Amino acid sequence: SPQVHTLWFSGVHRLWGADRYATAADVSADTFPSGVPVVFIADGESFPDTLSAGAAASALGGPVLLTRKTVLPWATTVELSRLKPASIVIVGGEDAVSAGVQAQLGAYTTGTVKRWSGVSRYDTSAAISQQAFPTGAPIAYVASGVAFADALAGVPTPAADGAPLLLARPDSIPPATPTDLQRRAPPSILMPGRPAACPPASPARLPPHAHPDRA
């Protein structure tokens, strides 16, 4: 199996691998036992689907592992073999994770290999929300789908809250996001980042019952 690299100094615990795929596998190996209910597979070259998958994976009790578009990296396959997941979820369309990779993933679970995706990153984030959070949540998070920093910093919070992370453009909120929020009807909405990252006009597109705040 991939070696889990650890480093302790002054209370800091570092995990890393030879590349992003090995690092994701090492984090998984350090965190999750064998027999997880689900593993999420996301494109290692693009951030939006991975961010939305992070909150969903936490809610459903499994890790997020990374893949190349057409080839499963060795570190990912080794970690999948160790995890023995009951099911696998691919996030994103075939432009992100190919049908060939989807077929390969069937060898690493006795359950289903599903794909949660939409026509854009915004629709994909809404699709992930709909599947992973079918009932109401106390809060929802809406972050930029163009720049990763605010959403990345915010991922642990929706994961801890059992809440979805939805995406918006800098100048508007795509229809899939308010549609999912209307379905979910969260009492509050948190928008990480400055108004330049998530649009100042965004609250006007959000459900009227919600109370959007910034962080």
Side-chain angles (χ1 to χ4, degrees):
S1 64
Q3 180 181 357
V4 177
H5 302 283
T6 62
L7 178 64
W8 285 92
F9 63 94
S10 301
V12 176
H13 182 198
R14 182 191 295 272
L15 298 170
W16 79 95
D19 55 23
R20 65 191 66 186
Y21 308 98
T23 294
D26 286 353
V27 171
S28 172
D30 190 66
T31 307
F32 293 93
S34 177
V36 293
V38 65
V39 169
F40 282 71
I41 299 292
D43 178 12
E45 299 295 328
S46 181
F47 72 89
D49 297 341
T50 309
L51 293 175
S52 296
S58 177
L60 298 180
V64 177
L65 296 177
L66 303 180
T67 185
R68 297 185 179 91
K69 177 181 176 179
T70 59
V71 178
L72 271 174
W74 177 80
T76 301
T77 65
V78 172
E79 180 60 3
L80 283 168
S81 297
R82 186 193 69 83
L83 286 167
K84 297 179 174 61
S87 63
I88 294 173
V89 173
I90 300 167
V91 292
E94 291 185 13
D95 285 343
V97 180
S98 70
V101 167
Q102 183 171 355
Q104 293 175 53
L105 288 168
Y108 299 97
T109 179
T110 57
T112 59
V113 179
K114 299 178 181 179
R115 185 186 294 270
W116 296 352
S117 66
V119 296
S120 70
R121 63 188 62 184
Y122 309 100
D123 295 279
T124 293
S125 73
I128 293 169
S129 172
Q130 291 164 18
Q131 294 291 335
F133 305 93
T135 59
I139 189 170
Y141 291 77
V142 179
S144 171
V146 176
F148 69 86
D150 294 330
L152 179 61
V155 164
T157 308
D161 288 342
L165 175 65
L166 297 163
L167 301 179
R169 296 187 184 96
D171 58 350
S172 65
I173 288 190
T177 298
T179 296
D180 186 64
L181 290 169
Q182 290 280 8
R183 175 188 66 83
R184 180 172 312 289
S188 61
I189 296 169
L190 187 64
M191 305 176 73
R194 300 175 295 117
C198 269
S202 292
R205 293 288 310 277
L206 300 178
H209 65 270
H211 305 285
D213 293 308
R214 292 195 180 272

